[in-house]
Amino acid sequence: MITGKYPSLRLRRTRKENWSRKLFEENTLSSSDFILPIFLMDGKNKKEEILSMPDVYRYSINRIAQIVDKAIENKIPMVALFPKINNKLKNDKGTEALNHNNLVCKGILEIKKKYKNQIGIMCDVALDPYTSHGHDGLLKSNVILNDETIELLIKQSILQAQMGCDVIAPSDMMDGRIGKIRKALDQNGYQNILLLSYAAKYASSFYGPFRDAIGSKKLLKGDKKTYQMDFKNTNEALREVALDIKEGADMVMVKPGMPYLDIIKSVKEKFKIPVFVYQVSGEYSLLANAIKNKIINENAIYESLMAFKRAGASAIISYYADRLNKIIK
Ligand code: PBG
């Protein structure tokens, strides 16, 4: 309720000094809001630049400690693992996803061995890092098969759970997978594994650098519009979220982030459940390059991240999560 009016009422009074601005802050950011994505690669002692993502690297398993140590020191609650596997291991069915000795499995084991429960691990469930066509599901005569894909996603989820993954995050957008994966996890004794559904995941041009990072960009046949959402739609996102909650999702993701703040807010207001947001690779690279070229200054990062909190996000996946001490001052 606004009472009074100008000239007796002046909102600038609250903004007058640093200390007064502090008292009127409505949102805050801290390291506990963040999830750090880590790209994994084969080999030993490797730390490789990703050309389309300034200051983001791929790490071989024996160098993960370098980044996880820092994440724990900076009080980041969770990391998310993404593999760039050798192209020779990719095929049309993405069978490497079910290999007990694949990069993600090795990554989980390495982190859990060293850090136990000091930090959470989240893993994507989807086939795109493993398929020769770059799609998240099985492809047959140009159609992504829904139910057949889910059978593989169930196996992928169980495998990751067996390895010690804490949060299973299906990012594939097949219909009905959340319920089926929850059921399979429960039947296998994994009742306490969290399920984070990428529920409102849009078919977006902002994923480009990520696909480059996991080596699927050049392979991708066509686009992902038959399973990821149309960016013209809002109600459809609410339906997706409603279904995933019913099927047993513990929390839901909105992705990308900054162009979809309206969706974060609507989902939060309507469902009152934890909403995670992914500041995706394209958003990251836009910011990073504009800052590098001195088009905008680095405070833009903090501003972009605070926008997620303002919109109602509980947690933020961001490639900046390894540099928060410079961002949150
Ligand atoms: C794959 C997946 C994607 C991202 C996370 N998991 C890309 C895609 O769907 O093509 C994007 C993340 C980013 O751009 O940072 N299922």
Side-chain angles (χ1 to χ4, degrees):
M1 233 336 230
I2 298 169
T3 53
K5 59 178 203 255
Y6 176 82
S8 57
L9 180 68
R10 294 168 186 268
L11 291 188
R12 285 186 59 191
R13 278 199 286 263
T14 64
R15 298 179 210 129
K16 194 160 59 94
E17 303 292 346
N18 215 349
W19 62 260
S20 68
R21 287 194 293 273
K22 283 243 163 271
L23 289 174
F24 289 95
E25 280 173 4
E26 295 176 33
N27 291 287
T28 55
L29 269 180
S30 82
S31 57
S32 17
D33 297 317
F34 285 87
I35 298 164
L36 172 68
I38 302 177
F39 291 111
L40 305 174
M41 65 181 291
D42 273 320
K44 224 174 156 96
N45 292 325
K46 293 265 169 61
K47 178 179 175 182
E48 192 174 82
E49 266 184 63
I50 299 166
L51 289 180
S52 50
M53 300 182 75
D55 304 314
V56 177
Y57 302 86
R58 302 181 190 97
Y59 298 85
S60 62
I61 300 294
N62 72 317
R63 288 193 69 168
I64 310 183
Q66 173 184 353
I67 185 153
V68 179
D69 273 343
K70 252 183 73 188
I72 290 174
E73 199 180 302
N74 293 324
K75 302 196 162 56
I76 300 291
M78 182 156 78
V79 293
L81 303 182
F82 297 102
K84 178 186 194 260
I85 72 166
N86 195 315
N87 270 353
K88 282 184 226 140
L89 295 173
K90 299 190 182 187
N91 57 33
D92 61 338
K93 296 196 172 59
T95 49
E96 178 67 7
L98 305 182
N99 174 2
H100 286 232
N101 210 14
N102 71 21
L103 261 182
V104 165
C105 292
K106 285 195 235 172
I108 300 170
L109 290 176
E110 176 78 10
I111 295 171
K112 282 296 163 189
K113 186 177 76 191
K114 193 143 190 234
Y115 305 96
K116 309 276 183 303
N117 259 329
Q118 282 181 275
I119 194 159
I121 303 178
M122 148 183 164
C123 293
D124 251 36
V125 172
L127 301 180
D128 58 312
Y130 308 101
T131 50
S132 46
H133 44 68
H135 280 288
D136 295 30
L138 294 170
L139 183 66
K140 196 175 176 188
S141 325
N142 278 324
V143 175
I144 300 294
L145 302 176
N146 194 86
D147 301 5
E148 293 82 347
T149 297
I150 293 180
E151 293 310 313
L152 294 181
L153 300 180
I154 289 173
K155 292 186 179 145
Q156 187 183 20
S157 305
I158 301 287
L159 175 60
Q160 291 173 352
Q162 271 169 359
M163 295 293 149
C165 175
D166 303 291
V167 177
I168 299 283
S171 70
D172 57 288
M173 288 299 278
M174 297 301 115
D175 285 325
R177 87 280 203 217
I178 295 300
K180 289 208 164 198
I181 291 173
R182 182 72 269 169
K183 194 168 156 212
L185 286 171
D186 290 354
Q187 281 170 348
N188 284 274
Y190 299 114
Q191 291 90 344
N192 292 326
I193 302 274
L194 287 147
L195 199 46
L196 161 60
S197 171
Y198 284 76
K201 176 169 177 180
Y202 287 86
S204 170
S205 296
F206 288 91
Y207 305 149
F210 173 93
R211 291 178 189 166
D212 191 26
I214 64 161
S216 72
K217 195 176 193 164
K218 290 194 194 116
L219 301 176
L220 183 62
K221 270 173 94 181
D223 56 50
K224 300 190 177 183
K225 288 182 186 167
T226 69
Y227 46 109
Q228 299 179 351
M229 282 187 36
D230 187 335
F231 55 72
K232 301 179 199 82
N233 300 345
T234 300
N235 289 336
E236 193 182 352
L238 300 178
R239 288 184 86 186
E240 285 284 1
V241 169
L243 287 171
D244 287 358
I245 294 172
K246 229 184 190 163
E247 290 178 32
D250 296 293
M251 58 280 210
V252 294
M253 179 105 79
V254 173
K255 176 178 172 204
M258 199 136 89
Y260 297 87
L261 293 174
D262 56 323
I263 305 296
I264 300 171
K265 190 170 165 101
S266 298
V267 170
K268 186 73 200 180
E269 282 182 349
K270 191 164 164 88
F271 299 103
K272 319 278 183 214
I273 63 158
V275 180
F276 286 19
V277 58
Y278 202 139
Q279 183 185 49
V280 299
S281 57
E283 299 172 61
Y284 171 84
S285 297
L286 271 178
L287 276 169
N289 282 310
I291 292 164
K292 225 165 92 182
N293 294 323
K294 303 209 182 315
I295 293 165
I296 54 179
N297 74 46
E298 61 188 11
N299 295 330
I301 303 167
Y302 186 54
E303 186 178 335
S304 75
L305 296 170
M306 190 64 81
F308 298 134
K309 286 300 285 287
R310 209 178 54 234
S314 312
I316 303 164
I317 306 188
S318 170
Y319 300 98
Y320 281 115
D322 61 338
R323 280 158 278 166
L324 291 175
N325 47 351
K326 290 198 198 115
I327 294 164
I328 306 174
K329 287 179 195 121

